[in-house]
Amino acid sequence: MASIETLLQGVDVVEQSPVAIPVNAVTADSRHVWPGSAFVAVDGTADNGLNYVHDAIDLGAALIISKGGPKADDLLTGINTPTVKVRDVRKALSKIAANLHGRPSENLTVIGITGTNGKTTTGFLLDAILRAEGLGTGLIGTLGVSAPGLEAKTGLTTPDSLELQRTLALFADGGLTHSVVEVSSHALELERVADVDFDLAVFTNFSQDHLDFHKSMDDYFRAKSKLFSSLSADKLAIINADDPRASELLELTSAQTVTYGFDGKADVKFEEWGMSIDGITGTIKCDRETIHISSPLIGSYNLHNILAAVAAAQALAIPADSIAKGISSLHLVPGRVEQMKSHNGATIIVDYAHTPDAYQKLFSSLSVLLPRGRRLGVVFGCGGDKDRDKRPLMAAAAESFAEHLFVAPDNPRSEPIDAINKDIAAGFKKESHTFFDDRTAAIREAVAWLEPGDILAVVGKGREDCQIVGTERTEYSEVETVKQIVKELAGDEN
């Protein structure tokens, strides 16, 4: 139970009904209203919450919060339910969520990680390091929420502000001291994290993605950069010195900065490293010390993810032995270069890669690991109703490394498969590909194509749990599909 005065603390209010009533819950979804709730009518990307005000009132909403303006005036005129009109409803929702849960991020050390690729792996690495040091930590990201005694799916890389603040409150109330949060560009643009008190922010990299949402690459970068421009001078920023846009972040943040990468001027960098199908070993040079690491993770892009986690841990004053222990303890990031063996001993990799840059990094790494004379195959597709411009770029990146490409549906949503495939085909220069209407059929043929020593990368879905066709979500697991096909093929050979 919270008073309206408590909920609206710090909110830019334009107009407010002169009432003082208790509110027992806050929601931005009219279907989740119950008697005594406050309903926040958010301007959505596809719909407007104001259209559901009367539904919320019918379900017992005690308070309606909306953006001021003519539409709100028309819809709210004559209703008996108390109303509050605010200048920016998304910023208001963020602050209300934080107020409702007692501003939990102020009682935690919160690390935010943003970038086009690498957020999840870097988050898992840093979470493992914090656990190795004996710290109570919770992880929030693409794969859901993970903390001692708490595992949950969220459906978004960064949950909406109400769910995010509730989760942080569970962490703080449960005695945790740290939280690692993957911060998406959508979350930054839509103000989901506006009232999270980040102590440290990590920038992994920047490349093309989400141009269906952001108007341009510059707009996409501006969204990412909000995490760093919002940091005060007593906070920390960990920045990839090898990224072309690193200098812009270094200029705009007021925080204390630490850089990492292969750039000779980076604060945290490898002195030497080695990589095989079994993992990465190396020596990392930091300002204060040298750290010897051994990681079961593979892929040259994981060199940067490891450096980012080490740089962040060093900035948090985590001892070198805990850093090394944490890195070595992380054997698997679900859906990220997840390895399996085929029926004939070839290697199958399941990975979430879904951008041109991620393709380039993943496939170049796998190519280096191929035994002489062996082949790389790739199963991939492109999501429907999403950034069309990246489709031919993804196709070109895959074709430049793979012996054969098996193009399969990957959440086509409302877009026809043929239209998606036409965009993909524009990136091909060779005839080394086959199109499929069914993802399982594509994987089956790709696994059957394998010979001993080959590598097959099945990319795009990682650990997603469904395939989306139209508006229907069908249960689907990439890992289980691959395992079942391998089992079937092994049975065929016996």
Side-chain angles (χ1 to χ4, degrees):
M1 210 54 96
S3 68
I4 293 179
E5 183 180 31
T6 297
L7 288 180
L8 297 180
Q9 187 176 355
V11 175
D12 191 353
V13 175
V14 175
E15 183 182 329
Q16 180 178 349
S17 299
V19 293
I21 57 171
V23 172
N24 60 23
V26 178
T27 181
D29 187 334
S30 62
R31 296 168 297 182
H32 297 161
V33 169
W34 61 72
S37 298
F39 173 62
V40 185
V42 176
D43 297 330
T45 54
D47 207 348
N48 191 326
L50 284 168
N51 296 329
Y52 302 94
V53 163
H54 290 286
D55 292 341
I57 292 171
D58 290 343
L59 289 170
L63 178 69
I64 303 297
I65 301 170
S66 73
K67 183 178 179 180
K71 184 168 185 176
D73 292 341
D74 290 343
L75 283 170
L76 299 177
T77 297
I79 69 170
N80 295 321
T81 304
T83 62
V84 174
K85 295 175 184 176
V86 299
R87 199 164 305 280
D88 185 318
V89 73
R90 289 191 178 276
K91 287 184 177 179
L93 179 60
S94 173
K95 199 164 289 293
I96 288 166
N99 291 339
L100 177 67
H101 293 289
R103 306 195 66 82
S105 63
E106 294 177 1
N107 299 315
L108 295 163
T109 297
V110 183
I111 299 105
I113 304 175
T114 198
T116 305
N117 300 307
K119 295 186 295 296
T120 299
T121 300
T122 301
F124 267 73
L125 283 163
L126 189 50
D127 182 71
I129 291 169
L130 295 172
R131 290 173 189 264
E133 175 60 8
L135 297 170
T137 180
L139 182 62
I140 302 171
T142 306
L143 297 178
V145 175
S146 177
L150 176 63
E151 299 286 336
K153 296 288 187 182
T154 62
L156 296 169
T157 295
T158 312
D160 66 69
S161 53
L162 285 165
E163 185 174 357
L164 178 59
Q165 294 289 348
R166 182 180 69 85
T167 303
L168 292 173
L170 287 173
F171 289 175
D173 293 345
L176 302 187
T177 57
H178 291 67
S179 178
V180 179
V181 182
E182 290 183 49
V183 184
S184 69
S185 59
H186 289 69
L188 288 158
E189 188 68 23
L190 299 176
E191 307 291 355
R192 291 181 203 155
V193 296
D195 290 273
V196 175
D197 183 19
F198 289 104
D199 296 278
L200 183 149
V202 179
F203 171 68
T204 60
N205 50 59
F206 181 77
S207 63
Q208 182 172 330
D209 200 11
H210 303 307
L211 294 188
D212 55 304
F213 178 77
H214 302 286
K215 295 178 181 178
S216 67
M217 289 291 284
D218 283 341
D219 283 341
Y220 177 32
F221 181 76
R222 275 192 288 273
K224 291 286 189 191
S225 68
K226 285 183 178 181
L227 182 60
F228 299 88
S229 61
S230 66
L231 295 175
S232 56
D234 60 335
K235 307 298 186 180
L236 296 159
I238 311 300
I239 294 173
N240 179 0
D242 296 331
D243 192 272
R245 303 198 75 155
S247 59
E248 296 175 61
L249 291 181
L250 289 168
E251 287 178 5
L252 64 82
T253 188
S254 299
Q256 304 166 54
T257 59
V258 177
T259 59
Y260 67 91
F262 289 88
D263 184 297
K265 296 179 181 178
D267 299 315
V268 177
K269 51 185 174 287
F270 274 99
E271 284 191 332
E272 51 84 24
W273 60 272
M275 182 173 60
S276 72
I277 197 68
D278 297 317
I280 295 169
T281 58
T283 303
I284 296 175
K285 177 66 175 174
C286 307
D287 270 350
R288 299 189 299 274
E289 56 197 333
T290 298
I291 303 174
H292 301 282
I293 62 99
S294 178
S295 169
L297 304 181
I298 66 169
S300 58
Y301 48 88
N302 274 324
L303 295 170
H304 272 101
N305 294 333
I306 289 169
L307 286 174
V310 170
Q314 276 268 303
L316 293 170
I318 304 298
D321 58 347
S322 293
I323 293 175
K325 181 180 177 183
I327 288 172
S328 65
S329 72
L330 183 64
H331 291 270
L332 172 71
V333 179
R336 271 67 178 174
V337 202
E338 198 164 345
Q339 291 191 56
M340 289 167 275
K341 287 296 180 182
S342 76
H343 57 297
N344 60 8
T347 299
I348 302 173
I349 301 289
V350 172
D351 193 85
Y352 185 61
H354 60 278
T355 69
D357 181 62
Y359 275 24
Q360 183 78 22
K361 290 173 178 174
L362 174 63
F363 302 146
S364 62
S365 293
L366 296 180
S367 296
V368 170
L369 299 176
L370 275 172
R372 185 180 296 274
R374 295 295 85 211
R375 308 168 302 165
L376 173 66
V378 174
V379 177
F380 84 102
C382 296
D385 303 332
K386 296 286 184 179
D387 183 0
R388 290 184 57 188
D389 291 342
K390 72 178 183 180
R391 293 171 183 170
L393 302 177
M394 291 164 66
E399 186 183 62
S400 65
F401 292 100
E403 182 82 13
H404 197 83
L405 303 169
F406 304 82
V407 185
D410 182 355
N411 296 335
R413 300 181 178 86
S414 68
E415 197 170 354
I417 294 290
D418 288 345
I420 297 171
N421 288 346
K422 184 178 180 181
D423 289 339
I424 291 172
F428 291 142
K429 294 182 179 179
K430 299 183 288 188
E431 297 298 325
S432 56
H433 54 267
T434 308
F435 287 96
F436 294 83
D437 291 331
D438 179 80
R439 192 168 181 91
T440 300
I443 295 172
R444 182 175 288 108
E445 184 157 329
V447 175
W449 170 85
L450 288 170
E451 297 175 357
D454 289 348
I455 297 177
L456 175 67
V458 185
V459 299
K461 298 191 74 64
R463 281 295 183 121
E464 288 182 357
D465 59 5
C466 67
Q467 178 78 294
I468 307 172
V469 180
T471 58
E472 185 177 348
R473 303 169 74 93
T474 304
E475 186 175 328
Y476 175 84
S477 165
E478 197 96 288
V479 170
E480 292 305 315
T481 297
V482 170
K483 286 180 178 178
Q484 182 59 38
I485 289 170
V486 168
K487 183 178 178 181
E488 291 171 5
L489 291 174
D492 289 343
E493 291 189 346
N494 293 335

